[in-house]
Amino acid sequence: MFRILLGAGLGYVLGSRAGRERYEQIKRWSARVADHPAVQGAAGVVRAKISETLHRP
């Protein structure tokens, strides 16, 4: 959810300044980065740490 909001906000700001073509380019780039296996792995580690922290007695 955070990734979507961050991408939308960043895309809106940069896209509104640079025009639609640049916005689409940024959107494609951010999707590729977010789907990269290293990023997915890091996100999984962060999710696990957060879950572990929240479920501690």
Side-chain angles (χ1 to χ4, degrees), residues 26-56:
I26 292 167
K27 192 169 123 180
R28 285 189 304 271
W29 176 81
S30 64
R32 282 196 310 262
V33 169
D35 291 337
H36 192 278
V39 174
Q40 291 293 319
V45 169
V46 170
R47 275 193 223 90
K49 290 289 184 184
I50 290 171
S51 179
E52 178 183 310
T53 301
L54 292 176
H55 291 93
R56 283 187 189 166

Side-chain angles (χ1 to χ4, degrees), residues 11 13-26:
V13 170
L14 295 176
S16 65
R17 291 184 181 168
R20 183 71 179 184
E21 184 178 334
R22 181 67 177 150
Y23 168 76
E24 292 296 334
Q25 184 182 32
I26 292 167

